[in-house]
Each structure stands twice: as C-alpha cells, then as structure tokens.
Amino acid sequence: MKQTKKLFSCLCVLLLVVVVSAQVSATVPYDCYTYSTSTGSVTAEYSPVPYTPERYLDRSNLGVPLLQPKDMCFDKDGNLYIVDAATNCILVLDSDYKLVKKLDSFDGADGLIDFFAAPEGIFVTKSGDIYVADTNQKRIVILDSEFKCKKIIQDVVPINAQADEYVFLPIKVGADASGNIYVISRNENSGILQLDPDGKFISFVGSNKVTVNPIIKIWKKLMSKEQRDKLEQFVPIEYTNMAFDSDGFIYAVSKSIDTSTPIKRLNLAGKDVLIRNGYVDIVGDIMPEDADETEFKTSLFTDIVPGDNGLYYALDSARGRVFVYNSEGFLFYVFGSLGSQLGTFMAPTAIETRNSDILVADEANGRITVFKRTAYGNLIDIADSYYNTGEYEKSVKTWQEVINLNSNFELAYAQIGKVFLRQNQYQEAMEYFELGNYRGDKVTLTSGYNKAFSEYRRVVASKFLGPFVIAVVVIIAAYYLYRRLSKRRKH
C-alpha cells in the first residue's frame, strides 16, 4: 500500500513538471539550445528556456514615438538612454522604464540651438557625460549630465588618410577611464579609431586581419599582373559595435561572414585576448550537416555587451538570436528568433543588460523587448558564479541541479569535472569529463579528461611502482640464488 502511494506521488510530481514545462515552452515563440560534440560532429541540443520575453518598450507605453532605435546604454543609476535615428532624438528612461527626458535639441557650443541628424551610437560615462555618434553630421557630440554641450568633435582624419578624401561617419562611440575616445566609423576597415580627450587621432585599435579564400590565393599565383589587378581587392573587415567591460577591455564585433573571429576582446594594445576554450568556435550558429548551404543564414553579430562574472551576450541580426558565453568561451545557451511575436525580432540592432534582464532593440518595428531570466537560467548563472569565486562544493551541487533539468548540457558535467580535478579526485574527474565530452588539451595535457588521466596515471604509478620494482628485484635475486645453489649441488 505504501509503495503504491509513493508511486502515485512520484507520477503526480512528474506530471506537474511536464505540465509546467509545457506551459513555459508555450509562452516563447523560439527554440532554445546549446551545442554538443558527443557524436563527433556539432549538433544542436534543445534546452529549457533560459529567458522569457516580459514586455515591450514602444510608443504605446513610452508616450512618444520610437521609430528606429539604433543603440542604447545604461548609466550608473540604472537610467536607460536610447538613440533613435528616425526621430533624431535621445530618450532617457528611469529604472522602471518610464520616460523622463526626450532630447531632440541642445544648446550648441556657439550658444545656438543644435540638432542631431540620424544618430546611431550613444555612451554614458560613470561621471554622467553623454557621448553621441551624430552620424549624418559627421561628428561626436559630448554632453554633460544636464544635457549641455561640452564639446563637439568633427573633421577627424587618421594619419594615413588624406584630409580632403577621408569621410568621418561615426556610428558607435565609447570612452575609457582616461578620457580617450573610441569610435567605429562607417566604411573604416583599419580598426577602431582611438582619439585623445580633445578629439585628436591617436591610432587604430584592433585592426582586423585580411581573410582571403585559399583557392583564390593559389589562382593569384598563376595569374598575370593584369589579371591580379582586376581581382577584387581584399580589405580587412570593419567593426560594427563595441562595449567596455569592468576591466577596461573592449569587446568588439564584426558583422561579416568572412571572419573566423567575429567577436574579440581587445586589450589596451589592441591585441585580441578573448579566451576560446569552448566546444565550438565563437562564431554564432553552426550550420548543421544536413542543412542547405544556399538557405542557411550565417550569424552576423551586430552588438555585444559584457555582463557579470565574465559573461558576454552577443546579438545575431541575421537569425535574431542571442548567444550567451562564459569567460572561457563556452556557450551557455542560445535563444530568440526572427518574427513579429513577443520575443522575436525583425531587425535587431542593440543589446543591453541590467542585473539579470536582457534588452534587445529592434529598428524595424521600433521597439525594445525586455527579457526575464528563468529558474533554469538562474541556476546556470549561480553555478558559474560559485565556481569563479572558489565555492566549489556549492558549484557542484548547483550544476547537478542544472543536469536534473537538462541532462544533455555537456558543460555542466565538464564544470563538475573541473572541481573534482582541483580536489585531486581524478577518477571522478575522468568520469564527469567523459560525460561532458571534454577531452581538454591533447598536447599539453593541462585540462579536461587528458589532464585528469595523466594525473591519475601518475598517482597509480607512484603507488604501485615501488612495490613492483621491489618484487622484480626479489624475483631476480631469488632466480640467481637458485641457479648458484643448483650449480653447487651438481658439483
């Protein structure tokens, strides 16, 4: 009787979980997934929903037109700044997403009223200064926290360009703690422009490498000079957006299918220091083996924002996806899609985060979608945070909860394996690394299953090698003693 009641209770709980999961999944018009390499090839594994769309920010609830949001950012007080290229204005919302300011004009440096013309970028410093990329007027406008003009930067010309030929069209702007200004200019493929606080050109940062098809390389060697001159010139890929993390590094994205590194993390010297230890390359969606190459849309990243604990969120404009990676380059999950329903996008342009919320701006339908993190997404974030802060026991426990919700999430097993490896529990580490399909570095043996196996082999060798050597020595000595005694008996 007791067993029957217990079985009935378990079935009720299971049914409840299935119903709740179905209801949650039914509220989102997109698939959520991560990638697996357990079969030897990269496959998408569907996952529980990490984020659900909560609301829109648009004309209906803001009270003013929002037609073409190109960029947005938060200040230190949680106020949201939105730049609208169609209405030539800046909207400022408070922490409850209520409109507190619409800025469509300002007092210029000459005392006259000035206006924006199709601005595409905005950045707010910790001191409250507002940097606006006023694209069509070919300038950077710097306002103070009271929206009064402090400086206007224009006629920027790099050292290697001719002043009468160079066109400065800033689309994104940012500033570091020293006051240096960083600008992405349209049609500029030499990198991000670095300016001093007065707006004078310093250098290019993070110049993208030229990517050339290897087959075309071979053909060019066989061509004549005239034929080579007629070929399309290969130029470096230009950046489309950037963001600063808490350490002052620049996360930058390139909107091109011709680069293997569409996401970079640039240090002060302009070197890419992004860690890429994940299962798959950080390039967005991977084309399935059975997909039609002519129909498959390669991811085109249009924006990126760094979050807490080294996480970063990349926005894919081609497929309407949000990709979330951790500090080591492992993909946590993917969500979002193209469409017109709540939670989908027509032409996503910008992404921002506030606490655990994600906001995505869509320039095609003039709205911003606010996403809330689910319990599943929270568990992943908490488990990763525990590991980064050295609370390994809590990390293991939380990753186990993640596995209970998604047994196909390979990274959860791998992270538990890392904890066991740190604790010198090599057999357990090998078991979880195998479940997580995380081999690690095959050459240096410094991570993953390879590291755990090499350490386990060393421990076993040190444990049994001594007695084994002694046993061999005793056997050899006994053998020679036996031979000597046998010879004496014969004599």
Side-chain angles (χ1 to χ4, degrees), residues 192-343:
I192 301 171
L193 287 81
Q194 183 186 27
L195 315 178
D196 67 15
D198 294 325
K200 295 181 179 179
F201 178 80
I202 299 176
S203 65
F204 285 107
V205 176
S207 178
N208 269 314
K209 293 182 179 179
V210 177
T211 55
V212 184
N213 189 313
I215 297 177
I216 295 179
K217 275 187 175 181
I218 297 173
W219 273 111
K220 287 185 73 174
K221 291 182 179 180
L222 303 176
M223 291 177 179
S224 64
K225 183 178 182 303
E226 291 77 13
Q227 290 173 320
R228 288 196 300 269
D229 291 340
K230 291 180 181 179
L231 275 180
E232 179 183 357
Q233 295 296 313
F234 294 96
V235 297
I237 300 158
E238 61 185 274
Y239 291 107
T240 56
N241 223 320
M242 62 180 172
F244 292 82
D245 66 11
S246 58
D247 297 322
F249 290 85
I250 302 175
Y251 280 87
V253 289
S254 303
K255 190 177 179 181
S256 174
I257 62 175
D258 297 324
T259 177
S260 59
T261 55
I263 298 177
K264 293 184 178 182
R265 185 174 185 242
L266 306 173
N267 62 14
L268 295 177
K271 182 180 179 182
D272 182 16
V273 294
L274 187 70
I275 299 175
R276 300 177 175 86
N277 290 336
Y279 291 103
V280 297
D281 293 333
I282 306 173
V283 294
D285 263 330
I286 307 297
M287 184 172 67
E289 291 184 345
D290 57 348
D292 187 344
E293 291 187 17
T294 60
E295 296 181 358
F296 181 80
K297 289 184 179 180
T298 304
S299 293
L300 298 175
F301 290 121
T302 189
D303 197 8
I304 189 169
V305 58
D308 298 330
N309 302 320
L311 299 184
Y312 50 98
Y313 307 77
L315 180 62
D316 172 12
S317 62
R319 301 174 65 83
R321 313 256 197 236
V322 175
F323 291 78
V324 182
Y325 296 91
N326 75 350
S327 59
E328 295 183 281
F330 286 94
L331 179 65
F332 272 1
Y333 39 74
V334 185
F335 69 92
S337 179
L338 295 175
S340 57
Q341 297 171 276
L342 176 63

Side-chain angles (χ1 to χ4, degrees), residues 392-456:
Y392 300 121
E393 295 298 330
K394 291 182 179 179
S395 176
V396 168
K397 183 179 179 181
T398 312
W399 280 121
Q400 288 287 5
E401 293 182 48
V402 173
I403 291 172
N404 292 338
L405 294 175
N406 182 13
S407 60
N408 293 322
F409 191 28
E410 293 179 349
L411 178 59
Y413 298 102
Q415 294 298 87
I416 294 175
K418 290 179 183 179
V419 174
F420 282 129
L421 183 59
R422 283 179 171 273
Q423 297 173 341
N424 300 330
Q425 296 176 257
Y426 302 123
Q427 281 185 286
E428 293 83 353
M430 289 164 58
E431 177 185 348
Y432 275 93
F433 282 138
E434 188 171 7
L435 289 171
N437 194 39
Y438 186 51
R439 303 295 303 182
D441 195 302
K442 296 179 181 179
V443 179
T444 62
L445 305 179
T446 56
S447 61
Y449 184 91
N450 295 319
K451 173 66 174 178
F453 177 74
S454 65
E455 291 296 327
Y456 178 69

